[in-house]
Amino acid sequence: SLFRLKDLEVAELGDSDVRVKMLAAPINPADINMIQGTYAIVSPLPAVGGNEGVGEVLEVGRRVAALKPGDRVIPAVTGLGTWRTWGVFPEETLLKVPSDIPVLSAATLSVNPCTAYRMLADFETLAPGDSVIQNAANSGVGQAVIQIAKASGIKTINVVRDRPDLPKLVERLMALGADHVITEEMLRKPEMKDIFKSIPKPRLALNCVGGKSTTEMLRHLQPKGTMVTYGGMAKQPVMVPVSAFIFRDVRLRGFWMTQWRKDHAEDQESLGSMMDTLCQLIQSGQLAAPACTEVPLQDYKAALEATMKPFVSSKQILLL
């Protein structure tokens, strides 16, 4: 196993540092890829896992102005190492969030909802009534896309893999505000035409799978539409028919939240307005945490195993 539970000395508090008691931290597939060394960022070892989570400020260094004891904070950077009970972090690596947000919502805020928000905002100018198509619609990002789109009046067509408990999953996604939930097989069927009687063809497709389902999804994109790839769960390339480029001039783009954060490190306004919007959606009940299973830290092995299983519809959250 790549993981061990270890007792570490908590570092001294520097002038610009913040001492944090971690409350909860999810296990995301990217966290595990990072530790396996198959991700674009490799942490120097030994390292603490976890890129996301929420904590409470216990103590601040004398130069820290924006945070005070009792504040709730989430990571502002990738690779913070959130799977721990306590930590001392530089002030600029943390973002304050409202204390009245549920712990699980705050713990799962900095990666998936931010990714969903940026992809909906940054590639196509979508107006109420427009539509978006996405695969892996039951993923953390997928669930956030459904809810953020719904709050903006944007329709979603949500593609999921066929599975034993499909009706239950469809019901859950519809309850979040999905307009249509279909299986990968249905993408190829003539019945797709029925969907487009009531809503326009999508201008934006969000892909985190790759392989055949992505090619099929692309067929339903409007001319000059954009497909954004942010993951590759099928571990297969994205195949695009030449005709889609020539006759429909589709655009293929990529998105990685870590890169966006790097590019906007000096741009506090973009980050601030995104976080404000997401926090308001949470406070108004329009953006819920994904389905979660809470696991005490000492049971971390079971949580890691559960994260790697196929058709997982619950995010494992370590309680610290």
Side-chain angles (χ1 to χ4, degrees):
S1 162
L2 295 162
F3 298 96
R4 281 210 307 280
L5 205 49
K6 258 186 82 136
D7 287 324
L8 302 174
E9 288 291 310
V10 176
E12 290 290 304
L13 188 71
D15 287 350
S16 307
D17 290 340
V18 179
R19 194 187 304 285
V20 176
K21 170 168 187 359
M22 291 304 296
L23 302 172
I27 300 180
N28 294 315
D31 300 334
I32 295 174
N33 295 342
M34 217 161 135
I35 291 155
Q36 289 167 335
T38 57
Y39 203 60
I41 302 174
V42 180
S43 303
L45 296 175
V48 178
N51 288 297
E52 208 179 16
V54 61
E56 185 181 322
V57 175
L58 296 177
E59 196 187 347
V60 300
R62 60 192 178 86
R63 286 221 194 98
V64 173
L67 295 170
K68 59 183 192 307
D71 284 347
R72 289 271 170 95
V73 288
I74 64 174
V77 296
T78 305
L80 194 62
T82 53
W83 300 345
R84 63 172 102 205
T85 49
W86 316 82
V88 170
F89 307 108
E91 177 185 18
E92 70 272 10
T93 63
L94 301 169
L95 282 177
K96 183 176 164 175
V97 292
S99 296
D100 61 352
I101 284 179
V103 166
L104 294 183
S105 293
T108 53
L109 178 57
S110 65
V111 179
N112 295 333
C114 291
T115 300
Y117 179 95
R118 295 264 55 107
M119 292 194 302
L120 287 169
D122 294 352
F123 295 92
E124 288 282 345
T125 312
L126 298 171
D130 283 343
S131 82
V132 173
I133 189 167
Q134 64 166 345
N135 54 25
N138 60 314
S139 66
V141 172
Q143 293 175 55
V145 164
I146 290 169
Q147 296 172 84
I148 296 166
K150 169 95 173 159
S152 324
I154 295 159
K155 310 283 184 201
T156 56
I157 302 159
N158 300 281
V159 185
V160 297
R161 286 181 297 175
D162 201 2
R163 62 191 66 215
D165 57 347
L166 185 65
K168 225 156 89 199
L169 176 61
V170 171
E171 197 181 319
R172 204 160 59 91
L173 297 183
M174 296 298 275
L176 289 180
D179 294 282
H180 297 275
V181 182
I182 59 174
T183 61
E184 292 183 347
E185 290 69 34
M186 220 192 120
L187 278 173
R188 302 182 190 91
K189 302 233 165 98
E191 291 91 286
M192 281 299 289
K193 288 196 184 70
D194 299 340
I195 289 180
F196 299 122
K197 284 177 185 152
S198 58
I199 63 174
K201 288 206 151 195
R203 304 232 313 268
L204 180 66
L206 305 177
N207 164 49
C208 109
V209 179
K212 227 194 246 126
S213 91
T214 303
T215 309
E216 295 294 343
M217 193 165 69
L218 206 57
R219 288 183 204 287
H220 302 293
L221 209 53
Q222 273 192 36
K224 292 196 182 342
T226 304
M227 182 170 79
V228 182
T229 292
Y230 67 99
M233 285 166 22
K235 298 192 168 52
Q236 290 163 351
V238 170
M239 308 286 273
V240 183
V242 170
S243 60
F245 279 127
I246 299 175
F247 301 121
R248 298 188 14 253
D249 190 17
V250 298
R251 280 157 236 260
L252 297 196
R253 301 287 306 272
F255 183 77
W256 187 30
M257 193 65 218
T258 299
Q259 189 62 46
W260 187 91
R261 285 189 194 282
K262 276 194 196 125
D263 295 346
H264 295 79
E266 305 304 310
D267 176 7
Q268 285 307 302
E269 206 176 318
S270 292
L271 183 63
S273 75
M274 168 171 71
M275 296 319 287
D276 288 349
T277 304
L278 291 172
C279 288
Q280 282 161 12
L281 288 174
I282 292 169
Q283 286 163 322
S284 65
Q286 292 172 286
L287 177 60
C292 291
T293 305
E294 301 175 43
V295 182
L297 180 59
Q298 56 269 26
D299 298 341
Y300 73 95
K301 285 197 172 106
L304 287 166
E305 275 166 27
T307 302
M308 305 301 277
K309 287 203 178 97
F311 300 127
V312 180
S313 47
S314 187
K315 197 175 270 299
Q316 307 291 308
I317 307 259
L318 298 171
L319 295 185
L320 308 161

